[in-house]
Amino acid sequence: MTFDLIHKPTFSNQLLALPTEYLPQVLAKIDVLRQDPRPFHNVKKKLHGYKGDIYRLRSGDFRIIYTFGDGWVALLGVDRRADVYKGGKIIANDDDIAFDLAAVPATEAALAREPAQATVIVMTEPALASAALPMPIDRELLMRLRIPEQHMAALLACKTEDDLLNADVPQEACARIVDVIFPRDYEQVAEQQPDLITGDVDNLLRYKEGSLLGFLLRLSPAQERYVIWGLNATGPTLLKGGPGTGKSTVALYRSREFVRVLRRMGNPFPRILFTTYTNALVTYSQQLLHELLGEDAACVEVQTADKLAMSIVSKTGGTAKPVKMAQNAHLHEAIGWAVEHAVYAGNVQQQQAQRRTIERLGSDYLLEEINVIIEARQIDTIEGYLVAARSGRRVPLNATQRVAVWTIHEQLQERLADMGVLTWQQLRAAAELLVAQGKGPEPYDAVLIDEAQDLDPSLLRMLVNLCSGPNRLFLAADANQTIYGSGFTWTDVHERLNFRGRTGVLRVNFRTTREIGEATRVYLAGGALDDDADAGGEYVHEGPMPDVRMIERNYDESELLARFLPQASRHFQLSRSACAVLVPTDAAGKRIAAELTQRGLPARFMSSRDLDLGAREIKVITLMSAKGLEFPIVALAGFVQAPYPWRPATMPDDAFEETLARERRVLYVAMTRAMRALLVAAAPQRSAALFDGFDPAYWNLG
C-alpha cells in the first residue's frame, strides 16, 4: 500500500530553508513514509505533548514531523533536531505506540482536539516590549527562502519580532521567515493550515530548486464529491454552504472536470464561462485556474456577470456603442424629478392617497422597489405589477399604492432616458433580451456561477441562456450572504433552474474559527434567509472570541484599532498586511486609513476597482467590496460619523425593518471575512438596532 502525500505550508517553507546537502536524505526518508508511516523503533516515533497524533522521522540532524490517517500522510515540518522538542514536546515511549493500522483514525479524528477554553486578545493594556528574534536573519537564509532582492534590506534590518511583523515586505515573505526561525506548534500546523497536494516526492525537489512554484489545494472528501457530482445528470446542479465552506473552490475544480468531460465527448477546445461577484475575484480566480489547469486555463473565461452584460449591450449591431451607467447622483436627481412631475390617475381622494404613499415610502425605498421588483423582474405592464408577489419586501402595497409606484416608475424611465444613462437593472434586462434573441455571444459549453445568490433574475436568465446544456450549468450560493434579500425562488427565475435531486450542502467551515463562525451566526439570527445554511456546521479552526467595543468618538475608534491590529498580528505571528478594516463608506475608509498611518501603522484605503490584495499596508475597504475575500485579521469600523443605515424621517417602520435586515446581512458577510481574529467597533448611539444581538456567550464585550 502506498500512502498519498500531502503537506502544510509550514513544511514547504522549512523545506526551502533546508541546506541543500541534507535534501537527498530528507526526500529519501519521505519516500519511506509513503510506503509505511507507522512508528518503528527509534526511526519513527510519536511526540508527546500534543493532543493529536504527531510523529517524527529521523533524518540525520533533522527531523521530519508528520501525521497520518487512512491512506494519507501529511508532512507538517522539517526542522533541526534541537528545535523539534522546544516547548516541552517529547518522544513517546515504545509502549505507547499503536502498530495496528486499522486503529489509525480518519482525517478528522487524527487532527481532532478538545475544545479550547475561550481566549481573548487583550486590547486594554499596553503591548509588551517586543522580544528579540530567536536567531539572526542573514542573506544566506533569505536566498534559500527565495526572498526577492528588493525585500532583503528590510528583512536584514529586523532585530525583534515586531520589526519582522512590521517590515515593509509581502506577507508571504514574512510567513516563510516566521516558520523557519520561530518554534512551531505542529498540532496547530496540522489543524489550522490547509492541505496541499504533494504528489510525487520529486515535486518537492522541483519546488526546492524553483522549477515548481506552488502546490494545489487538497479538497476535503465532501468538497471532492461535489466536484464531479451530477456531471451526467439531466439538469443543473446547485451547491449551497455557509461562509468558508469552499463553494468557490469546488466551482474552480469543477471547471477542470468540465474541460475533461467535454474533451472526452470530442470537443478539443471547450469554451467555459466562470462568473464571479467582484472585479477583485476575477484576477484571483484566474490565477487559481492557471495553477489548476495550466495551459487549459485558456478554455475558461472568467469575468463578472455585469461585465459580460455590459459587453453584450455595447456590441449590439456589430459596432461597439458606449454605455453610460447611472450613478447615485443621477438616480437621486431622476427620482426627485419623477416625484415632482408625477400625474396620478383617479379621483381627488385616490390621487391624494397615491401622493401620500410616495411621500411615506421615500426616494430610497422607491428606487429599490423599482429596481429590484419592476426592472429586475422585467415587469412591463401595470397589470403585471399589480399581481407581482414582491417576495422579500416587507412593506405591503395595495392596488392604489402600486399604481402610485408605477406612475413614478414611468416618470423615472423617461427622465433617465433624457439623461442618456442606464441603471444596472436596465442594462442587465437589455443583455438578457439580446441573448434570448440570439444576438449575444455563442453559447458556452458550460457555465459556472459563483455567488449566485447576489445576481438579479435578469442576469441569471442571461447566463442560463448562454449555457448550451442544462447539465452543464453549476451554481454556488449562500442565501444568507445575499446583500439584496430579493426573496425569489430559483424556478421563479427560469424553468431550467430546477435543482430537485441535484442540491448539495457543504457544512464544514475551513475559513473562520469556531468562535467567529458561531458568534456571527448568532448575530445574524433573525435575518437568516436559508434555514439550511443557518443551522450551524463544523469548524476546522479554533481561536480567540471575537471582540465588540462600543465607541462614541472617531478618536476612540482609531485608538482601539491601533491597539487591536498590532496585538492580533503579533498573537498570530502575522505581518500587518494580514489585517483588513472594513468600513461602510469611502469617506470613513479614507479617514481611518489616514489616522492609522499617522499612528505608525501604514494603511491604505482601496476602492473595489483598485483593490490590491498583495499590498503590504493594512487594507481598508468597504463592506461591499470585501464580499468573497478573506483576511486573517478583520476589524469593522467607521460607524461613528453618521447613522448607518440611514433612515429618512418619512420611512415607515416596516420599510426600515427591511433595510435593517439587509444591512445586518451585509455586516454578517463582512464579519465572516475574518479567518482568525475579529473586532467590531460598534456605534450603538447612532445605529442601535444594527448593533443589537451581540450575545456575551459568544462575543467578548470587554
Side-chain angles (χ1 to χ4, degrees):
M1 174 182 179
T2 301
F3 287 68
D4 292 333
L5 271 185
I6 59 177
H7 68 272
K8 303 290 185 174
T10 287
F11 171 82
S12 50
N13 289 339
Q14 292 180 349
L15 183 72
L16 289 177
L18 185 75
T20 304
E21 60 267 27
Y22 294 95
L23 184 63
Q25 184 182 42
V26 167
L27 295 182
K29 293 287 187 178
I30 291 174
D31 203 37
V32 169
L33 286 181
R34 289 192 67 195
Q35 307 307 316
D36 188 355
R38 293 175 294 182
F40 181 75
H41 297 305
N42 289 326
V43 179
K44 294 175 284 186
K45 283 200 166 187
K46 184 176 181 180
L47 295 178
H48 271 177
Y50 292 109
K51 295 177 182 176
D53 295 320
I54 308 296
Y55 303 87
R56 70 99 175 109
L57 169 64
R58 294 173 57 182
S59 179
D61 291 336
F62 285 80
R63 298 293 183 266
I64 300 166
I65 314 302
Y66 69 98
T67 187
F68 68 98
D70 187 10
W72 56 268
V73 175
L75 304 173
L76 309 180
V78 52
D79 214 343
R80 290 189 180 275
R81 178 182 59 185
D83 294 330
V84 167
Y85 308 116
K86 288 181 179 178
K89 312 306 180 186
I90 59 176
I91 300 175
N93 294 324
D94 285 351
D95 293 341
D96 297 330
I97 299 172
F99 285 84
D100 184 7
L101 184 60
V104 174
T107 307
E108 294 79 4
L111 303 182
R113 61 171 176 164
E114 298 174 3
Q117 291 186 342
T119 58
V120 298
I121 296 174
V122 179
M123 295 178 289
T124 56
E125 300 176 1
L128 299 175
S130 180
L133 293 176
M135 61 176 284
I137 299 174
D138 57 32
R139 178 172 287 274
E140 181 184 355
L141 174 64
L142 297 181
M143 291 179 66
R144 288 206 301 266
L145 291 176
R146 295 210 291 267
I147 304 298
E149 180 68 34
Q150 65 264 34
H151 302 315
M152 286 194 177
L155 292 169
L156 290 170
C158 295
K159 306 301 179 186
T160 68
E161 183 178 358
D162 274 359
D163 289 343
L164 176 58
L165 299 181
N166 284 320
D168 185 17
V169 299
Q171 165 62 24
E172 182 182 4
C174 180
R176 286 185 180 180
I177 296 171
V178 166
D179 273 338
V180 169
I181 69 174
F182 287 97
R184 299 287 83 192
D185 183 330
Y186 288 107
E187 188 166 47
Q188 289 186 2
V189 170
E191 294 174 344
Q192 298 185 4
Q193 293 188 6
D195 293 334
L196 303 175
I197 299 174
T198 310
D200 293 334
V201 174
D202 286 347
N203 287 337
L204 296 175
L205 175 61
R206 294 172 56 213
Y207 181 70
K208 173 74 172 173
E209 293 175 340
S211 60
L212 179 64
L213 299 180
F215 298 88
L216 293 175
L217 185 68
R218 178 182 182 238
L219 299 180
S220 72
Q223 292 171 332
E224 197 166 6
R225 174 195 174 203
Y226 290 120
V227 169
I228 60 174
W229 185 58
L231 280 174
N232 297 317
T234 57
T237 303
L238 171 66
L239 181 60
K240 301 196 297 183
T245 53
K247 301 181 300 297
S248 300
T249 302
V250 171
L252 289 167
Y253 271 79
R254 195 173 177 95
S255 68
R256 182 177 67 178
E257 292 305 309
F258 276 142
V259 171
R260 291 175 175 175
V261 169
L262 290 165
R263 284 221 170 116
R264 286 199 298 266
M265 295 173 62
N267 185 345
F269 302 107
R271 292 176 61 250
I272 297 171
L273 175 65
F274 187 100
T275 68
T276 67
Y277 179 70
T278 65
N279 290 316
L281 288 173
V282 169
T283 301
Y284 179 67
S285 300
Q286 286 171 333
Q287 291 173 348
L288 291 177
L289 282 168
H290 183 74
E291 182 181 345
L292 186 65
L293 291 169
E295 294 181 357
D296 285 344
C299 297
V300 185
E301 178 183 328
V302 184
Q303 48 179 321
T304 66
D306 274 335
K307 185 175 180 181
L308 179 60
M310 173 74 78
S311 174
I312 291 170
V313 173
S314 298
K315 295 176 181 178
T316 303
T319 59
K321 297 188 300 183
V323 177
K324 185 178 180 182
M325 300 307 302
Q327 306 300 315
N328 284 335
H330 295 126
L331 292 173
H332 284 95
E333 177 188 338
I335 195 71
W337 186 92
V339 170
E340 181 181 351
H341 291 81
V343 178
Y344 301 105
N347 57 39
V348 174
Q349 288 183 330
Q350 290 172 329
Q351 293 176 20
Q352 290 177 343
Q354 293 176 65
R355 192 172 292 108
R356 283 195 301 269
T357 294
I358 299 305
E359 292 173 355
R360 179 172 173 266
L361 292 177
S363 59
D364 288 338
Y365 195 87
L366 277 171
L367 281 171
E368 284 184 6
E369 179 73 13
I370 292 169
N371 287 332
V372 173
I373 301 298
I374 298 176
E375 291 291 344
R377 303 186 188 186
Q378 297 185 30
I379 300 173
D380 53 10
T381 65
I382 179 61
E383 291 77 17
Y385 181 51
L386 287 173
V387 298
R390 297 181 67 251
S391 54
R393 304 291 278 173
R394 298 192 182 188
V395 180
L397 297 177
N398 60 32
T400 299
Q401 292 167 330
R402 294 196 192 200
V403 169
V405 173
W406 188 264
T407 300
I408 300 299
H409 160 63
E410 291 181 323
Q411 294 292 321
L412 178 66
Q413 305 309 100
E414 180 182 330
R415 183 58 178 169
L416 290 172
D418 290 343
M419 297 169 72
V421 297
L422 286 177
T423 66
W424 281 105
Q425 288 74 19
Q426 289 174 325
L427 177 83
R428 295 160 184 163
E432 183 212 332
L433 179 61
L434 290 169
V435 169
Q437 294 173 342
K439 298 179 181 178
E442 287 294 318
Y444 293 88
D445 298 306
V447 174
L448 301 102
I449 308 172
D450 196 17
E451 304 287 0
Q453 74 277 353
D454 279 330
L455 300 185
D456 71 23
S458 294
L459 282 180
L460 286 169
R461 284 190 292 264
M462 178 190 79
L463 293 172
V464 169
N465 289 329
L466 282 174
C467 186
S468 60
N471 63 334
R472 296 290 174 255
L473 186 64
F474 177 84
L475 281 71
D478 175 9
N480 288 334
Q481 289 193 68
T482 181
I483 54 178
Y484 301 116
S486 47
F488 57 80
T489 62
W490 298 111
T491 51
D492 288 340
V493 176
H494 198 290
E495 59 183 8
R496 283 196 204 171
L497 295 180
N498 184 337
F499 302 106
R500 183 173 299 175
R502 295 181 302 278
T503 299
V505 181
L506 292 173
R507 298 194 182 279
V508 180
N509 187 319
F510 294 91
R511 176 194 298 150
T512 62
T513 62
R514 176 184 305 278
E515 290 76 7
I516 292 173
E518 289 299 299
T520 54
R521 183 179 65 85
V522 170
Y523 167 80
L524 180 65
L529 296 176
D530 188 337
D531 291 337
D532 264 350
D534 189 48
E538 304 170 36
Y539 299 87
V540 173
H541 308 301
E542 294 181 350
M545 292 178 71
D547 296 278
V548 178
R549 294 296 184 274
M550 307 301 173
I551 55 175
E552 298 180 1
R553 301 181 302 166
N554 289 338
Y555 177 84
D556 297 331
E557 179 181 66
S558 299
E559 286 293 301
L560 177 65
L561 293 172
R563 290 198 306 272
F564 173 78
L565 297 174
Q567 292 190 39
S569 61
R570 179 189 285 187
H571 180 85
F572 293 101
Q573 290 187 312
L574 295 167
S575 73
R576 302 293 187 262
S577 63
C579 302
V581 182
L582 310 184
V583 297
T585 64
D586 289 8
K590 292 174 182 177
R591 172 183 60 79
I592 287 173
E595 291 175 357
L596 287 176
T597 301
Q598 289 173 359
R599 285 167 169 77
L601 297 171
R604 174 162 39 121
F605 175 73
M606 304 175 183
S607 69
S608 60
R609 293 190 175 278
D610 63 2
L611 189 61
D612 181 5
L613 298 179
R616 298 193 285 273
E617 304 101 326
I618 294 170
K619 299 159 187 66
V620 185
I621 61 181
T622 63
L623 302 170
M624 304 294 278
S625 298
K627 189 169 181 63
L629 305 178
E630 58 184 32
F631 306 94
I633 299 164
V634 169
L636 272 62
F639 303 99
V640 176
Q641 200 70 28
Y644 174 81
W646 174 254
R647 180 177 185 176
T650 60
M651 180 177 281
D653 290 343
D654 43 11
F656 181 69
E657 288 298 321
E658 183 179 327
T659 299
L660 180 63
R662 182 184 66 240
E663 296 307 323
R664 285 180 72 89
R665 289 194 296 275
V666 170
L667 256 63
Y668 167 77
V669 171
M671 292 173 187
T672 57
R673 303 308 93 195
M675 301 167 66
R676 299 293 176 267
L678 171 64
L679 165 69
V680 178
Q685 73 280 11
R686 293 187 178 274
S687 306
L690 187 67
F691 295 112
D692 181 34
F694 292 111
D695 187 333
Y698 296 88
W699 293 86
N700 171 28
L701 305 183

